């Protein structure tokens, strides 16, 4: 089975590309969603986050996302500590998910494929690229976050140039090139691998 890692900055269109792959029959593991599920349900993560940030990091509704975001996107050291708590659990969970898949291709979508080390467990790294300003505009249109908050998240991630250099394949979601034909080409290319 070929495992594809889909990455790209905030607002690049990873989720759109992941949906197009899913519609083409490729099962996709969405790391943002699964990591949130694990953060709410794994006793190991809960214990470690509570030890680091105190009891208020969880509320009756689950993880206090706003509080965690305000810690990690303002403090690179805390970002690293939290990543070291959450990412090994996500990695284990993803490996177990892969074991259950029976299709010739599967994928993981993660904005931080390289930063998290998930790139080591995939065969092909795919970057979805869009210029920074377009990504900010898309994220502003979708989320309730401010421009400043979005820029802080961008600054918590490696640059687009580094992502491009480290990826095996790039899809351009820059409002100039259509996505669906590019995903079709990618699937043909994957068949030739
Ligand atoms: C801080 C949290 C609670 C904020 O939740 P929120 O719903 O506001 O944002 P969401 O999870 O949808 O993330 C939106 C974007 O933020 C960026 N982002 C999220 N986590 C990280 C991180 N650890 N490092 C860099 N960027 C990140 C990504 O671009 C992501 O697509 C959440 O992102 C989180 O728990 N992050 C730590 C776990 C993690 O690393 N998740 C990423 C995939 S494993
Ligand atoms: N080609 C496009 N044309 C118009 N809108 C688009 C296009 N690509 C993405 N969008 C929109 O931009 C926003 C961001 O896209 P998407 O959620 O796929 O990005 P993402 O890379 O998954 O971002 P994040 O890392 O924040 O989850 C969404 O509202 C999406 O519908």
């Amino acid at each position: 089975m070929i495992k594809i890692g889909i990455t790209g900055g905030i607002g690049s269109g990873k989720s759109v590309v992941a949906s197009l792959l899913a519609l083409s029959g490729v099962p996709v593991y969405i790391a943002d969603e699964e990591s949130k599920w694990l953060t709410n349900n794994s006793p190991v993560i809960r214990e470690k986050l509570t030890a680091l940030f105190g009891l208020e990091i969880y509320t009756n509704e689950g993880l206090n996302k706003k509080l965690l975001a305000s810690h990690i996107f303002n403090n690179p050291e805390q970002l690293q500590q939290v990543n070291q708590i959450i990412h090994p659990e996500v990695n284990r969970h993803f490996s177990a998910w892969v074991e259950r898949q029976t299709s010739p291709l599967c994928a993981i979508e993660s904005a931080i494929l390289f930063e998290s080390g998930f790139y080591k467990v995939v065969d092909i790294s795919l970057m979805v690229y869009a210029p920074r300003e377009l990504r900010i505009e898309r994220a502003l249109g979708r989320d309730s976050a401010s421009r400043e908050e979005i820029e802080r998240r961008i600054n918590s991630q490696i640059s687009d140039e580094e992502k491009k250099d480290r990826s095996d394949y790039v899809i351009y979601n820059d409002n100039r090139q259509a996505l669906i034909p590019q995903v079709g080409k990618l699937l043909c290319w994957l068949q030739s691998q």
Side-chain angles (χ1 to χ4, degrees):
M1 176 190 290
I2 300 181
K3 298 187 278 293
I4 310 158
I6 309 166
T7 195
I10 188 164
S12 57
K14 295 179 296 299
S15 305
V16 176
V17 170
S19 302
L20 291 173
L21 285 174
L23 287 169
S24 311
V26 180
V28 186
Y29 181 97
I30 312 288
D32 272 352
E33 284 172 13
E34 302 293 347
S35 75
K36 266 192 211 118
W37 186 87
L38 284 167
T39 306
N40 278 321
N41 291 285
S42 154
V44 178
I45 296 180
R46 182 181 278 256
E47 195 186 304
K48 290 183 178 170
L49 287 184
T50 305
L52 196 57
F53 298 118
L55 286 171
E56 67 272 22
I57 204 68
Y58 287 92
T59 67
N60 289 339
E61 280 80 50
L63 177 71
N64 187 338
K65 293 195 294 177
K66 232 181 157 45
L67 183 60
L68 184 62
S70 77
H71 281 298
I72 67 178
F73 298 123
N74 283 308
N75 183 328
E77 204 179 309
Q78 287 185 338
L79 173 69
Q80 213 185 341
Q81 286 171 312
V82 168
N83 285 347
Q84 279 164 5
I85 292 171
I86 297 178
H87 295 169
E89 298 298 318
V90 180
N91 217 331
R92 265 191 282 279
H93 191 248
F94 173 63
S95 299
W97 178 87
V98 168
E99 291 298 315
R100 296 196 298 274
Q101 307 310 312
T102 51
S103 53
L105 295 176
C106 72
I108 175 170
E109 183 209 316
S110 170
I112 49 173
L113 187 77
F114 297 111
E115 295 91 327
S116 61
F118 299 150
Y119 74 95
K120 292 181 197 153
V121 299
V122 300
D123 304 297
I124 305 275
S125 297
L126 162 70
M127 181 193 182
V128 182
Y129 172 82
R132 182 183 168 114
E133 196 47 41
L134 181 57
R135 294 199 281 117
I136 295 173
E137 274 166 32
R138 284 180 183 153
L140 281 171
R142 187 198 51 188
D143 304 337
S144 56
S146 66
R147 171 177 281 268
E148 201 191 1
E149 282 168 323
I150 293 163
E151 289 194 335
R152 246 185 255 132
R153 287 189 187 204
I154 291 177
N155 295 336
S156 303
Q157 300 171 357
I158 62 172
S159 68
D160 278 355
E161 285 64 36
E162 186 171 348
K163 283 191 189 118
K164 254 190 196 169
D165 282 350
R166 295 178 68 175
S167 295
D168 302 296
Y169 201 100
V170 182
I171 283 187
Y172 292 86
N173 186 25
D174 52 3
N175 285 359
R176 293 154 73 109
Q177 302 183 56
L179 273 184
I180 292 177
Q182 292 185 75
V183 171
K185 264 194 194 163
L186 165 73
L187 290 169
C188 289
W189 179 76
L190 286 167
Q191 274 162 10
S192 70
Q193 295 303 296

